[in-house]
Amino acid sequence: MRPDNTFYLRARLCEGNVKFRKQDPALRIETAENGQHPYAIVVCCSDSRVIPEKIFSADLGELFVIRVAGNVLDRHQLGSVEYAAAHLHCRMILVLGHTGCGAVSAALSGGGDGFIQYITDEILLAVGQERDPLRACEKNVEHAVEILKREFSEHPEIPTEELEIRGAVYDIAEGEVRWL
Ligand SMILES: [Zn+2]
């Protein structure tokens, strides 16, 4: 059931938060007091089925996640990656695409309207003439990996030789992450 009643929806969010607050308060307090030390940066889609903390069994403070539909990169995303790599000393950057990506499908169907077009234009740039959804998803990930490698190949605060930049595709049915 998914009633479009905003009162119900807000109550659901509040209930979820009450439940969350009862879980592991010690870790919350510890990370609040000692700061965050995420071991990896994950750039992935906003799709509600693609939740990096669940996919990688990660807890609070373990992953620095940048989510945007179609896992595309623009200056805001690059700034977030730069912050985590330069100031939080993350040395692993993973771009995670996924099967059944609506943003990739929209791009393959000719692109979206409104603000969505900014996303589909970037995906079309990445996929070129490719029309197979899975291969297009992989090419979109590879494109983001190339951008990250290019942008962070020389950086005064990030030791490039220590940086691992990888791409992968998450299968939304199997739950498996396949590294590219
Ligand atoms: Zn997606």
Side-chain angles (χ1 to χ4, degrees), residues 45-47 49-50 68-71 98-104:
C45 186
S46 301
D47 191 302
R49 299 163 295 183
V50 184
V68 57
N71 40 270
H98 69 99
T99 59
C101 183
V104 172

Side-chain angles (χ1 to χ4, degrees), residues 56-96:
F56 297 109
S57 307
D59 219 324
L60 297 177
E62 294 187 332
L63 296 177
F64 191 93
V65 177
I66 296 135
R67 287 179 74 176
V68 57
N71 40 270
V72 291
L73 292 172
D74 204 343
R75 287 175 293 182
H76 297 113
Q77 290 76 35
L78 289 169
S80 301
V81 171
E82 184 176 40
Y83 170 73
H87 300 284
L88 302 178
H89 313 292
C90 275
R91 293 294 173 260
M92 175 80 216
I93 308 175
L94 173 65
V95 179
L96 185 66

Side-chain angles (χ1 to χ4, degrees), residues 1-3 7 10 13 21-22 30 44 49 64-65 72 84 87-88 110 126-127 140 152 155 158 167 172 175 177 180:
M1 198 174 80
R2 190 180 168 183
F7 178 79
R10 193 166 66 88
L13 289 170
R21 291 188 66 197
K22 289 178 183 157
E30 197 254 304
C44 75
R49 299 163 295 183
F64 191 93
V65 177
V72 291
H87 300 284
L88 302 178
V127 306
N140 187 42
F152 299 113
H155 192 284
I158 304 170
I172 60 167
V177 171
L180 298 177

Side-chain angles (χ1 to χ4, degrees), residues 30-174:
E30 197 254 304
T31 51
E33 286 176 353
N34 299 323
Q36 56 169 330
H37 305 284
Y39 73 89
I41 300 164
V42 181
V43 179
C44 75
C45 186
S46 301
D47 191 302
S48 58
R49 299 163 295 183
V50 184
I51 303 171
E53 289 84 350
K54 277 190 185 274
I55 294 168
F56 297 109
S57 307
D59 219 324
L60 297 177
E62 294 187 332
L63 296 177
F64 191 93
V65 177
I66 296 135
R67 287 179 74 176
V68 57
N71 40 270
V72 291
L73 292 172
D74 204 343
R75 287 175 293 182
H76 297 113
Q77 290 76 35
L78 289 169
S80 301
V81 171
E82 184 176 40
Y83 170 73
H87 300 284
L88 302 178
H89 313 292
C90 275
R91 293 294 173 260
M92 175 80 216
I93 308 175
L94 173 65
V95 179
L96 185 66
H98 69 99
T99 59
C101 183
V104 172
S105 302
L108 296 181
S109 313
D113 298 325
F115 293 114
I116 297 170
Q117 198 185 338
Y118 289 106
I119 294 168
T120 52
D121 278 356
E122 183 66 16
I123 296 172
L124 283 170
L125 189 70
V127 306
Q129 297 303 309
E130 184 60 61
R131 287 298 175 264
D132 173 68
L134 183 59
R135 187 62 200 124
C137 170
E138 291 171 356
K139 286 188 89 164
N140 187 42
V141 168
E142 287 159 2
H143 177 69
V145 168
E146 279 166 25
I147 291 172
L148 289 166
K149 285 185 174 169
R150 187 181 68 226
E151 296 298 337
F152 299 113
S153 60
E154 278 181 45
H155 192 284
E157 293 170 286
I158 304 170
T160 310
E161 64 286 353
E162 293 176 14
L163 206 59
E164 172 98 354
I165 303 173
R166 296 288 302 268
V169 173
Y170 169 69
D171 186 311
I172 60 167
E174 299 294 326

